Amino acid sequence: RMLRDGSLDLILLFAEPQSPTGQDLGLVDLAWIGAPGWGPPPGQPLPLALLDAPCLFRKAGLATLDAAGQAWRLVFGSPSLGGLSPSIRAGLAITVRVARFCPPDLAPLPEGILPPLPRVSLRLAFAEAAPPPAVEKLGESLRQAVAEFLSARL
C-alpha cells in the first residue's frame, strides 16, 4: 500500500515465487523456528506463534501443516516479531521464519520433525516504473547486497 501511494520509493519484500510484484532477487528457505531443544508435545496440536494475517510466512506454515494433516493451535499472534519472541524463547510455541534470519538464541527445528516448508522469493519493487536516479542507485545497491547475502555460506 505505501509503495502504491508513493509513501515509499522502493521496498524489499518476501512473496510467493510466482508473484508478479517487483523483481525476483532469489529464493530463500523458510524454517520452523523454536527454542533450542524444543520438541512437539506428544498427542497435542502443534503450538504456534505467528504474525497476524496477512503474512506470507503464516500462510505457508498453516498450508503446510494442513496439507500434511498436522493438527495445530495458535498460542500467540502478534503484528510484530518482537511480540512473538517471548513465547518462542519460553518454549511455548514455534514459528515460521526465513532460516537465515534465525536469532542466535533460537534454532531451526531439525529436518524430519515437521513437514518441510516452501521457499519464498525475496523481491525488490519500485514505486515508479522509471525511478529517479538516486532511487535506482539504492535499488542496485540492494540487489548487490542481497546477491552477496544469498551466495554466502552461513
Side-chain angles (χ1 to χ4, degrees), residues 3 10 24 26 28-29 49 56 61 64 66 68 77 79 85 107 111 120 124 127 129 133 138 146-147 150-151:
L3 192 66
L10 60 91
D24 180 31
V28 293
D29 295 318
L56 178 65
T64 297
D66 289 344
S85 297
E111 287 183 27
V120 295
L124 176 64
L138 176 58
V146 168
L150 293 177
S151 66

Side-chain angles (χ1 to χ4, degrees), residues 53-108:
C55 170
L56 178 65
F57 301 159
R58 176 190 181 104
K59 180 181 172 184
L62 296 180
T64 297
L65 294 174
D66 289 344
Q70 170 70 55
W72 56 269
R73 67 184 175 95
L74 186 63
V75 172
F76 195 80
S78 174
S80 72
L81 286 174
L84 297 180
S85 297
S87 62
I88 300 164
R89 286 188 178 95
L92 301 175
I94 59 170
T95 195
V96 177
R97 300 296 329 139
V98 171
R100 295 183 92 171
F101 298 153
C102 182
D105 59 338
L106 298 175

Side-chain angles (χ1 to χ4, degrees), residues 10-14 23 25 122-125 139 142-143 145-146:
L10 60 91
I11 57 170
L12 276 175
L13 68 140
F14 292 107
Q23 175 192 10
L25 302 180
L122 182 54
R123 306 183 80 80
L124 176 64
L142 288 170
R143 282 185 200 95
V146 168

